[in-house]
Amino acid sequence: MTTQPEMRSTPASPRDMARAFTPALTELVEDPLYSQVWADPALSPRDRSIATVAAVVALYRPDELPAQLRRAVDNGVTQAELAALITHIAFYAGFPAAISASAIAARALRD
C-alpha cells in the first residue's frame, strides 16, 4: 500500500527548502534580513517588494521569484503592477530574463 505525499497549498519557499541543509544561512535571512532590514520604516513593505522583485528578475533568480511575487501581492502590489514592473525591467535586465519572469509569474500567481 502506498501513501500519497502530503500536498502543500502554498509551495515551499527556497528558504524553507534550504533550511535542513543550511540552517545557519536560514537564520541570517530571518535575522537580520526579515527582522531588521524588512522592518525598517524607511521603506514600506510594498516598496521593498517592488525593489526585491525587480532585483530578483534582473538577476534571474527563478527559484526565488515565486516566493517574492507572492510576498509582493501580500504586501499590496497588484498583478497588473507586477506585469508592468517585469515589462519595465526587460529594458534594463534583458528580454530573456523578463520573458522567463513572466512565465514564472503566470504559474506562481494562478488563482
Side-chain angles (χ1 to χ4, degrees), residues 5-88:
E6 185 177 322
M7 298 299 292
R8 292 178 59 115
S9 59
T10 302
S13 71
R15 179 172 35 121
D16 289 339
M17 293 185 296
R19 185 182 311 275
F21 192 73
T22 54
L25 177 61
T26 302
E27 289 175 22
L28 290 170
V29 170
E30 291 169 356
D31 184 31
L33 178 59
Y34 287 119
S35 68
Q36 295 174 34
V37 175
W38 273 81
D40 181 345
L43 286 175
S44 70
R46 182 180 189 286
D47 291 345
R48 286 186 194 284
S49 282
I50 290 169
T52 301
V53 168
V56 170
V57 170
L59 294 170
Y60 186 66
R61 302 295 190 253
D63 292 335
E64 183 70 21
L65 186 55
Q68 293 301 335
L69 289 165
R70 289 188 294 270
R71 177 182 291 270
V73 169
D74 289 346
N75 285 335
V77 183
T78 68
Q79 288 191 24
E81 290 170 323
L82 289 169
L85 174 63
I86 291 169
T87 301
H88 181 79

